[in-house]
Amino acid sequence: MDEEHKRMRWASRRGMLELDLILEPYVRLHYAQLDDEGRVRYRELMTCQDQELFDWFLHKQVPENPEHAHMVKTILSARRPEDTPP
């Protein structure tokens, strides 16, 4: 695992269990396979506030930024049934 991947794993630990259960598995399983554009999108998403991320990932709001919306959709579609909290 390269240093950037390690930084993104750390950045994905948000302190909100709901976000951690979504972001940590994604970055662990999929970040290394992202192309440069996907990695930029993910890094930019990690600069957003936790409450925004929470609203987006729990379908309360849609991101106005199309790059954020694309990344949220990508992350949610990559989830496996066992990644879903009880």
Side-chain angles (χ1 to χ4, degrees):
M1 181 181 321
D2 64 21
E3 286 302 312
E4 178 190 352
H5 193 171
K6 289 178 185 176
R7 281 193 304 274
M8 288 303 99
R9 282 191 76 178
W10 182 256
S12 299
R13 295 180 182 152
R14 305 302 291 208
M16 292 179 84
L17 178 61
E18 296 86 352
L19 293 178
D20 292 347
L21 292 173
I22 294 169
L23 296 173
E24 196 284 325
Y26 179 81
V27 78
R28 180 173 33 86
L29 298 171
H30 302 286
Y31 187 80
Q33 287 78 39
L34 291 175
D35 60 15
D36 290 340
E37 188 176 325
R39 287 180 177 218
V40 167
R41 282 185 181 133
Y42 193 85
R43 284 193 305 266
E44 288 177 2
L45 190 69
M46 291 300 97
T47 67
C48 297
Q49 298 295 314
D50 287 357
Q51 191 58 51
E52 289 177 309
L53 295 170
F54 181 84
D55 289 345
W56 298 339
F57 283 111
L58 295 175
H59 304 287
K60 294 181 178 190
Q61 293 181 354
V62 175
E64 289 181 21
N65 179 319
E67 297 296 320
H68 292 160
H70 176 79
M71 198 71 237
V72 168
K73 182 178 179 181
T74 299
I75 292 168
L76 289 174
S77 36
R79 296 190 77 207
R80 301 171 304 175
E82 59 269 23
D83 295 335
T84 305

